[in-house]
Amino acid sequence: MSAVSSAPADTGPATSPSRDFGIGRRLLAVAGLVLPVALAVLWEWAAAEKLISVRLMPPPSKIWATMAELAASGELKTHVVATLYRVFVGFALGAIAGTLVGAAAGASEAVRRIIDPTLQSLRSVPSIAWVPLFILWLGIFETSKIALIAVGVFFPVYLGVAGAIENIDRKLLEVGRVFRLSRAALVRRVMLPAVLPEWIIALRSGLGLGFMFVVAAEFMGAAEGLGYLLVDGQQMGKPDQILGAIIAFAVLGKTCDAVLVLLTKPLLAWQDTARGTL
Amino acid sequence: MLNLERLSKTYADGTVALTGINVEVGAGEILALVGGSGCGKTTLLRLVAGLDTATEGRVAVAGETIVAPHPAVGIVFQEPRLLPWLSVADNVGFGLADLPRAERAERVDHALDRVGLAGYGKRWPRELSGGQQQRIAIARAFTARPKVLLLDEPFSALDAFTRASLHEHLLLLWEETKPTVVMVTHDVEEAVTLADRIIVMRPKPGRVYETITAHLDRPRDKLAAGFDKAKRRVLNALDRSLRPETPRPAGADVEANASF
Ligand SMILES: Nc1ncnc2c1ncn2[C@@H]1O[C@H](COP(=O)(O)OP(=O)(O)OP(=O)(O)O)[C@@H](O)[C@H]1O
Ligand SMILES: [Mg+2]
């Protein structure tokens, strides 16, 4: 597959429009910042005018100062690294398991009929409900946290992969048959590329759920991590720290998703979709 | 080259798509299948391609019974069915995975040139028009050098002008290796332009209604009297085949075999 380098041979006119859109696209990228910045300014102003309780709703400048302090002492880095580590390991395990089980369910009707009903009902169990069990089984340290995150990541990936395999276009499989591909070649040359877009979407929603579950995991009692900052902020009455941690979650989640999209973009260069950006 | 012997196909739901088809197609012959919707044309091609199995009778290519897709048989579907994740060149070379790179590239370039799309190899299928995609599908089938090539209404979605130019591309490719061609079409002019023999089919159950042999020189002159006469013959047979079943005139129980 010639993914990255396959710019059309002679699309002279096709490249110039993108240059025309350049400025517009840069404006669009900034557009996403308008709302949070406006809210922050309004908030700051309301706090300065004493329209809101500064003690419960510290203004952005106070949040920024608190986070800067945490960052300067190196504490913030420790928490971010701890959370990211849990998400990554949990995501990797959940994504691998979800992909394998999803592939088995997608490939075999019998397997799907046996495991799918059970998995579907387990899926509706709220994340917090697993916490006591995982603590009993795996202790209160890293293992139970990572297991919880992996469970969260598993389900969307499983559903996405199983659905993608079921939805592979029979007509394209027939092309493979006509050229007498072996079973392995059919998987490699037709089925894998066909499920790739949906697989990546499944990974993205898995990663999103990973960030949801990491909070639940860190509420189990953690000595570090952004979830710990939340709990600590509540117990110590530091709303600025809580809000700072929430913002940090938002930034981390968005960044990780963007990285995933960026990494997988070359694989999907062939796609004919409206999704130019994310 | 291609033999259909007492070929019948009844689908799992009881639909009798084909009954007792006996056809012999010579090496290098171009055969056109015409007939109303649902008379089993696609079913017939799928049986020859080995994508479905016959209920009764058999398909043989050069004496060999077809039970699964066969290297000597290629097919162009009604839709282009290009793999969207492969470049145009990789689509054309899809069936040549076993060949060395250089030879594959050479064959691909040659086929692209023959269908008038030289230089389009690096594009994505989505960047091509419908007619261009169909030409890629034809090139893909030809590069595998099949001895029997099946075409299922390959041009039906295209305008008359594009279709006429694709006929030329198809004949150019055909002349190189002279495969046996079976093509389904709804366009009588297309059938007479391309085929040596035209089989008119009749539905419920699908069977051969009339066979018309065209003794016309290639390249065909659409203004020649013979061309028009052949066209009218086919139209006439097609027209009769679409009417509700009435006892056929003289010799009704034998398959009519007309020549001109
Ligand atoms: N997979 C299938 N299962 C059941 N019946 C089928 C199936 N495929 C086709 N048929 C039936 O078999 C008959 C012949 O179908 P076929 O597709 O071969 O017709 P056709 O001549 O190609 O028609 P058209 O010109 O509309 O493409 C039809 O009655 C159709 O409904
Ligand atoms: Mg058909």
Side-chain angles (χ1 to χ4, degrees):
Chain A
M1 203 157 63
S2 50
V4 199
S5 59
S6 20
D10 51 343
T11 42
T15 45
S16 43
S18 64
R19 215 177 302 138
D20 297 343
F21 288 134
I23 294 168
R25 205 184 292 156
R26 232 167 288 149
L27 272 179
L28 276 181
V30 181
L33 291 175
V34 170
L35 188 60
V37 168
L39 282 178
V41 169
L42 189 69
W43 188 351
E44 191 72 48
W45 169 80
E49 297 290 320
K50 305 246 170 350
L51 298 174
I52 53 175
S53 155
V54 181
R55 203 178 58 77
L56 286 178
M57 295 188 67
S61 55
K62 178 83 189 349
I63 299 171
W64 179 259
T66 308
M67 294 312 277
E69 207 175 293
L70 281 174
S73 69
E75 236 182 295
L76 183 62
K77 192 180 157 208
T78 315
H79 294 306
V80 168
V81 168
T83 295
L84 277 184
Y85 167 78
R86 289 172 186 137
V87 172
F88 285 160
V89 178
F91 173 72
L93 293 175
I96 292 171
T99 302
L100 292 179
V101 179
S108 155
E109 176 71 14
V111 173
R112 196 181 63 79
R113 278 181 188 276
I114 292 169
I115 65 176
D116 195 63
T118 311
L119 289 178
Q120 291 289 354
S121 29
L122 285 180
R123 188 169 75 101
S124 39
V125 175
S127 54
I128 299 290
W130 295 107
V131 171
L133 190 65
F134 282 4
I135 289 182
L136 268 185
W137 282 352
L138 302 166
I140 57 164
F141 299 110
E142 289 307 298
T143 321
S144 57
K145 294 187 178 60
I146 286 170
L148 183 67
I149 296 163
V151 165
V153 175
F154 172 84
F155 285 105
V157 175
Y158 160 77
L159 285 178
V161 170
I165 292 178
E166 254 176 271
N167 289 335
I168 295 178
D169 191 350
R170 186 186 58 81
K171 291 181 169 165
L172 294 187
L173 290 178
E174 261 180 17
V175 172
R177 281 183 63 203
V178 164
F179 286 103
R180 298 175 325 288
L181 299 190
S182 65
R183 181 80 193 163
L186 195 68
V187 168
R188 186 173 56 81
R189 297 181 66 194
V190 182
M191 296 172 80
L192 278 183
V195 301
L196 201 60
E198 283 177 70
W199 184 60
I200 287 168
I201 290 173
L203 287 184
R204 286 179 69 188
S205 45
L207 187 61
L209 273 175
F211 273 102
M212 312 244 147
F213 276 57
V214 79
V215 180
E218 290 177 341
F219 277 5
M220 283 184 198
E224 55 194 18
L226 290 175
Y228 161 79
L229 279 186
L230 291 174
V231 179
D232 183 64
Q234 185 217 335
Q235 286 168 349
M236 300 297 173
K238 291 187 281 191
D240 44 344
Q241 183 178 315
I242 297 180
L243 286 163
I246 288 176
I247 293 168
F249 264 123
V251 171
L252 273 190
K254 175 74 183 156
T255 308
C256 288
D257 184 57
V259 168
L260 186 61
V261 168
L262 209 68
L263 288 178
T264 53
K265 204 167 191 171
L267 298 176
L268 298 181
W270 52 271
Q271 258 194 320
D272 192 10
T273 57
R275 186 178 58 94
T277 55
L278 23 154
Chain B
M1 188 65 206
L2 171 67
N3 284 303
L4 312 183
E5 294 162 13
R6 296 177 297 101
L7 196 64
S8 300
K9 173 72 183 177
T10 306
Y11 281 106
D13 63 359
T15 312
V16 182
L18 290 174
T19 51
I21 306 281
N22 287 298
V23 178
E24 239 188 277
V25 197
E29 186 181 355
I30 301 182
L31 175 74
L33 298 176
V34 298
S37 188
C39 66
K41 305 180 295 291
T42 297
T43 303
L44 192 151
L45 291 198
R46 291 180 61 83
L47 292 179
V48 177
L51 291 171
D52 268 326
T53 45
T55 321
E56 253 179 77
R58 69 164 197 146
V59 177
V61 170
E64 205 179 323
T65 304
I66 298 288
V67 286
H70 189 278
V73 182
I75 184 165
V76 177
F77 298 98
Q78 186 165 351
E79 329 78 31
R81 298 203 190 181
L82 303 183
L83 303 176
W85 53 84
L86 294 182
S87 68
V88 163
D90 288 344
N91 264 289
V92 174
F94 188 74
L96 307 179
D98 299 335
L99 289 188
R101 230 186 142 75
E103 196 184 337
R104 185 170 55 205
E106 192 188 304
R107 277 220 224 165
V108 167
D109 286 345
H110 177 73
L112 281 174
D113 188 49
R114 273 288 178 269
V115 295
L117 291 174
Y120 280 68
K122 289 201 172 105
R123 297 206 188 196
W124 296 118
R126 67 174 153 92
E127 295 169 325
L128 303 185
S129 72
Q132 290 171 332
Q133 293 191 19
Q134 197 56 282
R135 277 191 262 172
I136 296 303
I138 292 170
R140 173 175 69 187
F142 266 103
T143 46
R145 304 217 173 127
K147 293 201 173 64
V148 174
L149 181 66
L150 312 169
L151 301 139
D152 193 355
E153 299 182 39
F155 312 127
S156 63
L158 309 172
D159 63 276
F161 187 75
T162 312
R163 210 179 304 173
S165 93
L166 285 190
H167 292 162
E168 280 172 33
H169 288 303
L170 180 68
L171 287 174
L172 267 178
L173 278 168
W174 172 78
E175 267 173 14
E176 286 182 359
T177 51
K178 293 265 168 74
T180 300
V181 174
V182 180
M183 79 175 302
V184 171
T185 175
H186 280 289
D187 180 349
V188 171
E189 174 146 339
E190 178 168 284
V192 179
T193 307
L194 298 173
D196 302 304
R197 199 155 43 121
I198 297 133
I199 288 183
V200 180
M201 292 176 69
R202 200 179 205 299
K204 285 179 193 170
R207 71 216 113 123
V208 173
Y209 179 73
E210 201 164 313
T211 304
I212 295 151
T213 309
H215 298 291
L216 299 168
D217 296 330
R218 290 183 196 280
R220 302 232 158 128
D221 177 7
K222 294 189 185 180
L223 300 174
F227 188 90
D228 213 45
K229 201 173 143 208
K231 222 171 106 179
R232 251 176 296 141
R233 265 215 86 95
V234 179
L235 272 173
N236 188 280
L238 191 60
D239 206 38
R240 273 181 285 122
S241 81
L242 294 174
R243 271 183 227 153
E245 203 126 10
T246 44
R248 298 263 311 277
D253 50 343
V254 262
E255 176 182 308
N257 223 319
S259 289
F260 46 84

